[in-house]
mmCIF file of all heavy atoms in Angstrom:
data_model
loop_
_atom_site.group_PDB
_atom_site.id
_atom_site.type_symbol
_atom_site.label_atom_id
_atom_site.label_comp_id
_atom_site.label_asym_id
_atom_site.label_seq_id
_atom_site.Cartn_x
_atom_site.Cartn_y
_atom_site.Cartn_z
ATOM 1 N N GLY A 205 0.814 -1.207 -0.003
ATOM 2 C CA GLY A 205 -0.002 -0.006 -0.005
ATOM 3 C C GLY A 205 0.861 1.240 -0.002
ATOM 4 O O GLY A 205 0.559 2.227 -0.710
ATOM 5 N N LEU A 206 1.936 1.252 0.783
ATOM 6 C CA LEU A 206 2.845 2.379 0.831
ATOM 7 C C LEU A 206 3.509 2.585 -0.527
ATOM 8 O O LEU A 206 3.639 3.736 -0.980
ATOM 9 C CB LEU A 206 3.889 2.190 1.953
ATOM 10 C CG LEU A 206 4.914 3.320 2.108
ATOM 11 C CD1 LEU A 206 4.211 4.603 2.476
ATOM 12 C CD2 LEU A 206 5.926 2.939 3.156
ATOM 13 N N ALA A 207 3.913 1.536 -1.158
ATOM 14 C CA ALA A 207 4.544 1.609 -2.490
ATOM 15 C C ALA A 207 3.557 2.180 -3.501
ATOM 16 O O ALA A 207 3.919 3.001 -4.348
ATOM 17 C CB ALA A 207 5.022 0.226 -2.932
ATOM 18 N N LEU A 208 2.301 1.806 -3.402
ATOM 19 C CA LEU A 208 1.287 2.327 -4.328
ATOM 20 C C LEU A 208 1.059 3.830 -4.096
ATOM 21 O O LEU A 208 0.886 4.606 -5.051
ATOM 22 C CB LEU A 208 -0.021 1.564 -4.184
ATOM 23 C CG LEU A 208 -0.023 0.127 -4.759
ATOM 24 C CD1 LEU A 208 -1.338 -0.557 -4.407
ATOM 25 C CD2 LEU A 208 0.214 0.152 -6.240
ATOM 26 N N ILE A 209 1.040 4.242 -2.840
ATOM 27 C CA ILE A 209 0.862 5.640 -2.496
ATOM 28 C C ILE A 209 2.040 6.469 -3.038
ATOM 29 O O ILE A 209 1.857 7.520 -3.651
ATOM 30 C CB ILE A 209 0.681 5.867 -0.986
ATOM 31 C CG1 ILE A 209 -0.663 5.251 -0.572
ATOM 32 C CG2 ILE A 209 0.755 7.321 -0.622
ATOM 33 C CD1 ILE A 209 -0.867 5.225 0.930
ATOM 34 N N VAL A 210 3.272 5.974 -2.818
ATOM 35 C CA VAL A 210 4.474 6.685 -3.279
ATOM 36 C C VAL A 210 4.448 6.765 -4.819
ATOM 37 O O VAL A 210 4.734 7.829 -5.409
ATOM 38 C CB VAL A 210 5.756 5.990 -2.786
ATOM 39 C CG1 VAL A 210 6.977 6.521 -3.477
ATOM 40 C CG2 VAL A 210 5.870 6.149 -1.291
ATOM 41 N N ALA A 211 4.073 5.668 -5.480
ATOM 42 C CA ALA A 211 4.022 5.653 -6.954
ATOM 43 C C ALA A 211 2.949 6.642 -7.433
ATOM 44 O O ALA A 211 3.198 7.393 -8.407
ATOM 45 C CB ALA A 211 3.697 4.263 -7.447
ATOM 46 N N ALA A 212 1.814 6.717 -6.771
ATOM 47 C CA ALA A 212 0.758 7.647 -7.176
ATOM 48 C C ALA A 212 1.220 9.087 -7.017
ATOM 49 O O ALA A 212 0.972 9.938 -7.855
ATOM 50 C CB ALA A 212 -0.512 7.388 -6.359
ATOM 51 N N VAL A 213 1.906 9.389 -5.912
ATOM 52 C CA VAL A 213 2.419 10.738 -5.676
ATOM 53 C C VAL A 213 3.453 11.091 -6.751
ATOM 54 O O VAL A 213 3.427 12.202 -7.304
ATOM 55 C CB VAL A 213 3.006 10.869 -4.259
ATOM 56 C CG1 VAL A 213 3.796 12.155 -4.118
ATOM 57 C CG2 VAL A 213 1.909 10.765 -3.228
ATOM 58 N N LEU A 214 4.341 10.162 -7.088
ATOM 59 C CA LEU A 214 5.358 10.440 -8.119
ATOM 60 C C LEU A 214 4.711 10.641 -9.490
ATOM 61 O O LEU A 214 5.120 11.516 -10.245
ATOM 62 C CB LEU A 214 6.383 9.291 -8.151
ATOM 63 C CG LEU A 214 7.316 9.204 -6.931
ATOM 64 C CD1 LEU A 214 8.212 7.999 -7.035
ATOM 65 C CD2 LEU A 214 8.140 10.468 -6.771
ATOM 66 N N PHE A 215 3.714 9.830 -9.804
ATOM 67 C CA PHE A 215 3.026 10.017 -11.090
ATOM 68 C C PHE A 215 2.301 11.358 -11.119
ATOM 69 O O PHE A 215 2.288 12.036 -12.161
ATOM 70 C CB PHE A 215 2.027 8.873 -11.326
ATOM 71 C CG PHE A 215 2.634 7.641 -11.874
ATOM 72 C CD1 PHE A 215 2.411 6.410 -11.274
ATOM 73 C CD2 PHE A 215 3.449 7.666 -12.989
ATOM 74 C CE1 PHE A 215 2.973 5.260 -11.770
ATOM 75 C CE2 PHE A 215 4.018 6.509 -13.501
ATOM 76 C CZ PHE A 215 3.779 5.304 -12.889
ATOM 77 N N TYR A 216 1.701 11.755 -10.015
ATOM 78 C CA TYR A 216 1.006 13.058 -9.941
ATOM 79 C C TYR A 216 2.004 14.195 -10.168
ATOM 80 O O TYR A 216 1.727 15.151 -10.900
ATOM 81 C CB TYR A 216 0.287 13.210 -8.605
ATOM 82 C CG TYR A 216 -0.384 14.558 -8.440
ATOM 83 C CD1 TYR A 216 -1.518 14.847 -9.184
ATOM 84 C CD2 TYR A 216 0.125 15.499 -7.558
ATOM 85 C CE1 TYR A 216 -2.142 16.083 -9.045
ATOM 86 C CE2 TYR A 216 -0.479 16.729 -7.443
ATOM 87 C CZ TYR A 216 -1.627 17.017 -8.177
ATOM 88 O OH TYR A 216 -2.214 18.242 -8.039
ATOM 89 N N LYS A 217 3.188 14.132 -9.498
ATOM 90 C CA LYS A 217 4.204 15.176 -9.663
ATOM 91 C C LYS A 217 4.685 15.225 -11.127
ATOM 92 O O LYS A 217 4.895 16.274 -11.682
ATOM 93 C CB LYS A 217 5.365 14.932 -8.717
ATOM 94 C CG LYS A 217 5.064 15.304 -7.286
ATOM 95 C CD LYS A 217 6.270 15.198 -6.416
ATOM 96 C CE LYS A 217 5.939 15.645 -5.007
ATOM 97 N NZ LYS A 217 7.153 15.655 -4.153
ATOM 98 N N ALA A 218 4.883 14.035 -11.728
ATOM 99 C CA ALA A 218 5.313 14.003 -13.123
ATOM 100 C C ALA A 218 4.227 14.611 -14.011
ATOM 101 O O ALA A 218 4.545 15.344 -14.954
ATOM 102 C CB ALA A 218 5.605 12.546 -13.523
ATOM 103 N N TYR A 219 2.967 14.340 -13.718
ATOM 104 C CA TYR A 219 1.863 14.909 -14.477
ATOM 105 C C TYR A 219 1.835 16.434 -14.373
ATOM 106 O O TYR A 219 1.687 17.150 -15.373
ATOM 107 C CB TYR A 219 0.545 14.289 -13.998
ATOM 108 C CG TYR A 219 -0.668 14.902 -14.632
ATOM 109 C CD1 TYR A 219 -1.003 14.629 -15.938
ATOM 110 C CD2 TYR A 219 -1.506 15.741 -13.876
ATOM 111 C CE1 TYR A 219 -2.135 15.179 -16.511
ATOM 112 C CE2 TYR A 219 -2.647 16.293 -14.456
ATOM 113 C CZ TYR A 219 -2.946 16.003 -15.773
ATOM 114 O OH TYR A 219 -4.066 16.558 -16.345
ATOM 115 N N LYS A 220 2.027 16.963 -13.162
ATOM 116 C CA LYS A 220 2.044 18.411 -12.963
ATOM 117 C C LYS A 220 3.210 19.042 -13.713
ATOM 118 O O LYS A 220 3.064 20.116 -14.326
ATOM 119 C CB LYS A 220 2.136 18.745 -11.493
ATOM 120 C CG LYS A 220 0.795 18.653 -10.740
ATOM 121 C CD LYS A 220 0.882 19.019 -9.291
ATOM 122 C CE LYS A 220 1.614 20.279 -9.006
ATOM 123 N NZ LYS A 220 1.621 20.617 -7.568
ATOM 124 N N LEU A 221 4.384 18.387 -13.688
ATOM 125 C CA LEU A 221 5.538 18.922 -14.433
ATOM 126 C C LEU A 221 5.290 18.936 -15.913
ATOM 127 O O LEU A 221 5.676 19.874 -16.610
ATOM 128 C CB LEU A 221 6.792 18.108 -14.097
ATOM 129 C CG LEU A 221 7.400 18.336 -12.701
ATOM 130 C CD1 LEU A 221 8.546 17.366 -12.459
ATOM 131 C CD2 LEU A 221 7.890 19.755 -12.552
ATOM 132 N N THR A 222 4.622 17.899 -16.405
ATOM 133 C CA THR A 222 4.269 17.876 -17.830
ATOM 134 C C THR A 222 3.332 18.999 -18.204
ATOM 135 O O THR A 222 3.484 19.635 -19.246
ATOM 136 C CB THR A 222 3.652 16.500 -18.173
ATOM 137 O OG1 THR A 222 4.551 15.462 -17.824
ATOM 138 C CG2 THR A 222 3.333 16.385 -19.659
ATOM 139 N N LEU A 223 2.345 19.259 -17.366
ATOM 140 C CA LEU A 223 1.411 20.344 -17.627
ATOM 141 C C LEU A 223 2.105 21.689 -17.636
ATOM 142 O O LEU A 223 1.869 22.527 -18.493
ATOM 143 C CB LEU A 223 0.288 20.348 -16.591
ATOM 144 C CG LEU A 223 -0.758 19.249 -16.685
ATOM 145 C CD1 LEU A 223 -1.795 19.396 -15.569
ATOM 146 C CD2 LEU A 223 -1.435 19.281 -18.041
ATOM 147 N N ASN A 224 2.980 21.886 -16.641
ATOM 148 C CA ASN A 224 3.740 23.147 -16.576
ATOM 149 C C ASN A 224 4.640 23.299 -17.804
ATOM 150 O O ASN A 224 4.768 24.382 -18.370
ATOM 151 C CB ASN A 224 4.549 23.223 -15.297
ATOM 152 C CG ASN A 224 3.699 23.472 -14.086
ATOM 153 O OD1 ASN A 224 2.575 23.946 -14.199
ATOM 154 N ND2 ASN A 224 4.214 23.127 -12.924
ATOM 155 N N HIS A 225 5.264 22.197 -18.206
ATOM 156 C CA HIS A 225 6.144 22.233 -19.369
ATOM 157 C C HIS A 225 5.355 22.570 -20.628
ATOM 158 O O HIS A 225 5.776 23.392 -21.461
ATOM 159 C CB HIS A 225 6.849 20.887 -19.537
ATOM 160 C CG HIS A 225 7.812 20.854 -20.686
ATOM 161 N ND1 HIS A 225 7.453 20.361 -21.882
ATOM 162 C CD2 HIS A 225 9.094 21.264 -20.776
ATOM 163 C CE1 HIS A 225 8.492 20.461 -22.685
ATOM 164 N NE2 HIS A 225 9.504 21.010 -22.049
ATOM 165 N N ASN A 226 4.176 21.954 -20.782
ATOM 166 C CA ASN A 226 3.347 22.225 -21.967
ATOM 167 C C ASN A 226 2.887 23.691 -21.980
ATOM 168 O O ASN A 226 2.868 24.328 -23.029
ATOM 169 C CB ASN A 226 2.125 21.295 -21.995
ATOM 170 C CG ASN A 226 2.510 19.882 -22.311
ATOM 171 O OD1 ASN A 226 3.573 19.628 -22.852
ATOM 172 N ND2 ASN A 226 1.638 18.947 -21.995
ATOM 173 N N ARG A 227 2.535 24.209 -20.832
ATOM 174 C CA ARG A 227 2.132 25.605 -20.721
ATOM 175 C C ARG A 227 3.286 26.525 -21.115
ATOM 176 O O ARG A 227 3.122 27.522 -21.839
ATOM 177 C CB ARG A 227 1.668 25.913 -19.293
ATOM 178 C CG ARG A 227 0.936 27.249 -19.188
ATOM 179 C CD ARG A 227 0.361 27.486 -17.785
ATOM 180 N NE ARG A 227 -0.325 26.302 -17.275
ATOM 181 C CZ ARG A 227 -0.083 25.769 -16.099
ATOM 182 N NH1 ARG A 227 0.785 26.311 -15.296
ATOM 183 N NH2 ARG A 227 -0.727 24.696 -15.681
ATOM 184 N N TYR A 228 4.481 26.220 -20.641
ATOM 185 C CA TYR A 228 5.678 26.992 -20.974
ATOM 186 C C TYR A 228 5.977 26.941 -22.469
ATOM 187 O O TYR A 228 6.280 27.960 -23.102
ATOM 188 C CB TYR A 228 6.882 26.452 -20.175
ATOM 189 C CG TYR A 228 8.165 27.168 -20.439
ATOM 190 C CD1 TYR A 228 8.365 28.489 -20.049
ATOM 191 C CD2 TYR A 228 9.213 26.505 -21.098
ATOM 192 C CE1 TYR A 228 9.545 29.142 -20.316
ATOM 193 C CE2 TYR A 228 10.399 27.149 -21.351
ATOM 194 C CZ TYR A 228 10.586 28.454 -20.951
ATOM 195 O OH TYR A 228 11.748 29.097 -21.199
ATOM 196 N N ILE A 229 5.836 25.759 -23.067
ATOM 197 C CA ILE A 229 6.060 25.615 -24.493
ATOM 198 C C ILE A 229 5.051 26.452 -25.291
ATOM 199 O O ILE A 229 5.392 27.113 -26.267
ATOM 200 C CB ILE A 229 6.000 24.142 -24.929
ATOM 201 C CG1 ILE A 229 7.141 23.340 -24.319
ATOM 202 C CG2 ILE A 229 5.966 23.963 -26.435
ATOM 203 C CD1 ILE A 229 8.500 23.751 -24.798
ATOM 204 N N GLN A 230 3.795 26.440 -24.861
ATOM 205 C CA GLN A 230 2.765 27.251 -25.535
ATOM 206 C C GLN A 230 3.079 28.738 -25.428
ATOM 207 O O GLN A 230 2.896 29.482 -26.413
ATOM 208 C CB GLN A 230 1.371 26.952 -24.917
ATOM 209 C CG GLN A 230 0.840 25.598 -25.273
ATOM 210 C CD GLN A 230 0.709 25.401 -26.767
ATOM 211 O OE1 GLN A 230 0.307 26.289 -27.489
ATOM 212 N NE2 GLN A 230 1.072 24.202 -27.231
ATOM 213 N N GLN A 231 3.576 29.212 -24.302
ATOM 214 C CA GLN A 231 3.960 30.600 -24.150
ATOM 215 C C GLN A 231 5.108 30.937 -25.079
ATOM 216 O O GLN A 231 5.106 32.007 -25.716
ATOM 217 C CB GLN A 231 4.359 30.891 -22.705
ATOM 218 C CG GLN A 231 3.226 30.893 -21.713
ATOM 219 C CD GLN A 231 3.710 31.039 -20.297
ATOM 220 O OE1 GLN A 231 4.896 30.898 -20.003
ATOM 221 N NE2 GLN A 231 2.776 31.269 -19.391
ATOM 222 N N LEU A 232 6.084 30.032 -25.183
ATOM 223 C CA LEU A 232 7.203 30.274 -26.091
ATOM 224 C C LEU A 232 6.768 30.293 -27.556
ATOM 225 O O LEU A 232 7.220 31.148 -28.341
ATOM 226 C CB LEU A 232 8.279 29.205 -25.899
ATOM 227 C CG LEU A 232 9.082 29.270 -24.623
ATOM 228 C CD1 LEU A 232 10.059 28.092 -24.563
ATOM 229 C CD2 LEU A 232 9.854 30.562 -24.514
ATOM 230 N N LEU A 233 5.865 29.417 -27.919
ATOM 231 C CA LEU A 233 5.336 29.420 -29.281
ATOM 232 C C LEU A 233 4.568 30.699 -29.604
ATOM 233 O O LEU A 233 4.714 31.260 -30.693
ATOM 234 C CB LEU A 233 4.451 28.188 -29.514
ATOM 235 C CG LEU A 233 5.165 26.849 -29.563
ATOM 236 C CD1 LEU A 233 4.158 25.710 -29.630
ATOM 237 C CD2 LEU A 233 6.105 26.786 -30.736
ATOM 238 N N GLU A 234 3.781 31.151 -28.647
ATOM 239 C CA GLU A 234 3.040 32.412 -28.851
ATOM 240 C C GLU A 234 3.992 33.624 -28.982
ATOM 241 O O GLU A 234 3.808 34.465 -29.857
ATOM 242 C CB GLU A 234 2.083 32.635 -27.678
ATOM 243 C CG GLU A 234 1.192 33.844 -27.826
ATOM 244 C CD GLU A 234 0.313 33.781 -29.063
ATOM 245 O OE1 GLU A 234 -0.136 32.677 -29.410
ATOM 246 O OE2 GLU A 234 0.101 34.817 -29.668
ATOM 247 N N GLU A 235 5.022 33.646 -28.146
ATOM 248 C CA GLU A 235 5.999 34.717 -28.256
ATOM 249 C C GLU A 235 6.743 34.637 -29.575
ATOM 250 O O GLU A 235 7.013 35.662 -30.218
ATOM 251 C CB GLU A 235 7.006 34.635 -27.078
ATOM 252 C CG GLU A 235 7.990 35.758 -27.075
ATOM 253 C CD GLU A 235 8.977 35.686 -25.935
ATOM 254 O OE1 GLU A 235 8.988 34.648 -25.183
ATOM 255 O OE2 GLU A 235 9.733 36.654 -25.754
ATOM 256 N N ASN A 236 7.046 33.435 -30.018
ATOM 257 C CA ASN A 236 7.708 33.256 -31.302
ATOM 258 C C ASN A 236 6.832 33.784 -32.440
ATOM 259 O O ASN A 236 7.339 34.476 -33.328
ATOM 260 C CB ASN A 236 8.021 31.762 -31.500
ATOM 261 C CG ASN A 236 8.863 31.523 -32.718
ATOM 262 O OD1 ASN A 236 9.398 32.439 -33.302
ATOM 263 N ND2 ASN A 236 8.989 30.260 -33.082
ATOM 264 N N ARG A 237 5.537 33.460 -32.399
ATOM 265 C CA ARG A 237 4.591 33.973 -33.453
ATOM 266 C C ARG A 237 4.574 35.497 -33.439
ATOM 267 O O ARG A 237 4.604 36.149 -34.494
ATOM 268 C CB ARG A 237 3.195 33.422 -33.196
ATOM 269 C CG ARG A 237 2.985 32.052 -33.756
ATOM 270 C CD ARG A 237 1.492 31.646 -33.679
ATOM 271 N NE ARG A 237 1.495 30.285 -33.153
ATOM 272 C CZ ARG A 237 1.116 29.930 -31.940
ATOM 273 N NH1 ARG A 237 0.626 30.833 -31.110
ATOM 274 N NH2 ARG A 237 1.175 28.702 -31.563
ATOM 275 N N ARG A 238 4.500 36.066 -32.237
ATOM 276 C CA ARG A 238 4.450 37.518 -32.107
ATOM 277 C C ARG A 238 5.739 38.167 -32.661
ATOM 278 O O ARG A 238 5.684 39.145 -33.414
ATOM 279 C CB ARG A 238 4.261 37.934 -30.659
ATOM 280 C CG ARG A 238 4.059 39.416 -30.392
ATOM 281 C CD ARG A 238 3.941 39.728 -28.952
ATOM 282 N NE ARG A 238 5.051 39.245 -28.123
ATOM 283 C CZ ARG A 238 6.253 39.823 -28.015
ATOM 284 N NH1 ARG A 238 6.498 40.911 -28.683
ATOM 285 N NH2 ARG A 238 7.176 39.299 -27.235
ATOM 286 N N LEU A 239 6.884 37.603 -32.306
ATOM 287 C CA LEU A 239 8.152 38.155 -32.767
ATOM 288 C C LEU A 239 8.318 38.008 -34.265
ATOM 289 O O LEU A 239 8.876 38.888 -34.932
ATOM 290 C CB LEU A 239 9.318 37.502 -32.004
ATOM 291 C CG LEU A 239 9.420 37.884 -30.539
ATOM 292 C CD1 LEU A 239 10.513 37.083 -29.864
ATOM 293 C CD2 LEU A 239 9.679 39.375 -30.358
ATOM 294 N N ARG A 240 7.858 36.860 -34.810
ATOM 295 C CA ARG A 240 7.950 36.684 -36.257
ATOM 296 C C ARG A 240 7.067 37.722 -36.985
ATOM 297 O O ARG A 240 7.459 38.286 -38.021
ATOM 298 C CB ARG A 240 7.536 35.298 -36.665
ATOM 299 C CG ARG A 240 8.589 34.254 -36.419
ATOM 300 C CD ARG A 240 8.117 32.881 -36.893
ATOM 301 N NE ARG A 240 9.064 31.864 -36.522
ATOM 302 C CZ ARG A 240 10.098 31.496 -37.261
ATOM 303 N NH1 ARG A 240 10.288 32.086 -38.420
ATOM 304 N NH2 ARG A 240 10.914 30.541 -36.871
ATOM 305 N N ALA A 241 5.882 37.968 -36.475
ATOM 306 C CA ALA A 241 4.994 38.963 -37.071
ATOM 307 C C ALA A 241 5.640 40.340 -36.992
ATOM 308 O O ALA A 241 5.588 41.136 -37.952
ATOM 309 C CB ALA A 241 3.640 38.966 -36.370
ATOM 310 N N GLU A 242 6.244 40.654 -35.859
ATOM 311 C CA GLU A 242 6.909 41.949 -35.712
ATOM 312 C C GLU A 242 8.104 42.070 -36.676
ATOM 313 O O GLU A 242 8.309 43.101 -37.282
ATOM 314 C CB GLU A 242 7.390 42.125 -34.279
ATOM 315 C CG GLU A 242 7.937 43.472 -33.963
ATOM 316 C CD GLU A 242 8.336 43.593 -32.479
ATOM 317 O OE1 GLU A 242 7.811 42.852 -31.643
ATOM 318 O OE2 GLU A 242 9.163 44.461 -32.194
ATOM 319 N N ALA A 243 8.853 40.991 -36.840
ATOM 320 C CA ALA A 243 9.986 41.002 -37.752
ATOM 321 C C ALA A 243 9.502 41.184 -39.203
ATOM 322 O O ALA A 243 10.140 41.908 -39.977
ATOM 323 C CB ALA A 243 10.806 39.691 -37.631
ATOM 324 N N GLU A 244 8.395 40.553 -39.562
ATOM 325 C CA GLU A 244 7.860 40.698 -40.899
ATOM 326 C C GLU A 244 7.418 42.164 -41.128
ATOM 327 O O GLU A 244 7.591 42.713 -42.208
ATOM 328 C CB GLU A 244 6.704 39.754 -41.136
ATOM 329 C CG GLU A 244 7.114 38.319 -41.361
ATOM 330 C CD GLU A 244 7.939 38.151 -42.618
ATOM 331 O OE1 GLU A 244 7.633 38.793 -43.634
ATOM 332 O OE2 GLU A 244 8.899 37.380 -42.564
ATOM 333 N N ALA A 245 6.833 42.759 -40.099
ATOM 334 C CA ALA A 245 6.405 44.160 -40.217
ATOM 335 C C ALA A 245 7.609 45.072 -40.423
ATOM 336 O O ALA A 245 7.553 45.967 -41.276
ATOM 337 C CB ALA A 245 5.614 44.582 -38.985
ATOM 338 N N TRP A 246 8.638 44.855 -39.659
ATOM 339 C CA TRP A 246 9.865 45.653 -39.806
ATOM 340 C C TRP A 246 10.492 45.414 -41.197
ATOM 341 O O TRP A 246 10.981 46.355 -41.839
ATOM 342 C CB TRP A 246 10.873 45.327 -38.723
ATOM 343 C CG TRP A 246 10.587 46.037 -37.439
ATOM 344 C CD1 TRP A 246 10.039 45.506 -36.316
ATOM 345 C CD2 TRP A 246 10.813 47.419 -37.144
ATOM 346 N NE1 TRP A 246 9.895 46.468 -35.356
ATOM 347 C CE2 TRP A 246 10.366 47.645 -35.824
ATOM 348 C CE3 TRP A 246 11.337 48.474 -37.867
ATOM 349 C CZ2 TRP A 246 10.470 48.900 -35.222
ATOM 350 C CZ3 TRP A 246 11.434 49.729 -37.255
ATOM 351 C CH2 TRP A 246 10.983 49.933 -35.971
ATOM 352 N N LYS A 247 10.441 44.180 -41.660
ATOM 353 C CA LYS A 247 11.028 43.867 -42.982
ATOM 354 C C LYS A 247 10.250 44.591 -44.079
ATOM 355 O O LYS A 247 10.837 45.172 -44.988
ATOM 356 C CB LYS A 247 10.997 42.353 -43.194
ATOM 357 C CG LYS A 247 11.618 41.923 -44.500
ATOM 358 C CD LYS A 247 11.541 40.411 -44.635
ATOM 359 C CE LYS A 247 12.102 39.955 -45.961
ATOM 360 N NZ LYS A 247 11.991 38.523 -46.158
ATOM 361 N N ALA A 248 8.910 44.541 -43.986
ATOM 362 C CA ALA A 248 8.097 45.216 -44.977
ATOM 363 C C ALA A 248 8.339 46.729 -44.944
ATOM 364 O O ALA A 248 8.432 47.375 -45.984
ATOM 365 C CB ALA A 248 6.618 44.938 -44.733
#
């Protein structure tokens, strides 16, 4: 039972890290889109 609880806690922490990582990647992609649009405007 203790091993199952520890495994569940570790899986939960890994899940939270994955969600945070995905959110961070989405922010970077959005910033990349914004910067590319700004660069295109400056180029034009």
Side-chain angles (χ1 to χ4, degrees):
L206 180 61
L208 288 174
I209 291 173
V210 169
V213 168
L214 290 177
F215 279 128
Y216 177 71
K217 284 186 178 185
Y219 175 73
K220 280 180 49 178
L221 287 175
T222 303
L223 288 179
N224 288 339
H225 182 264
N226 289 342
R227 193 174 315 128
Y228 179 68
I229 294 295
Q230 289 301 319
Q231 289 173 349
L232 289 177
L233 290 173
E234 184 61 35
E235 183 179 9
N236 188 11
R237 277 188 226 108
R238 184 183 55 79
L239 290 174
R240 282 183 186 270
E242 187 177 337
E244 285 296 321
W246 279 103
K247 182 179 178 183

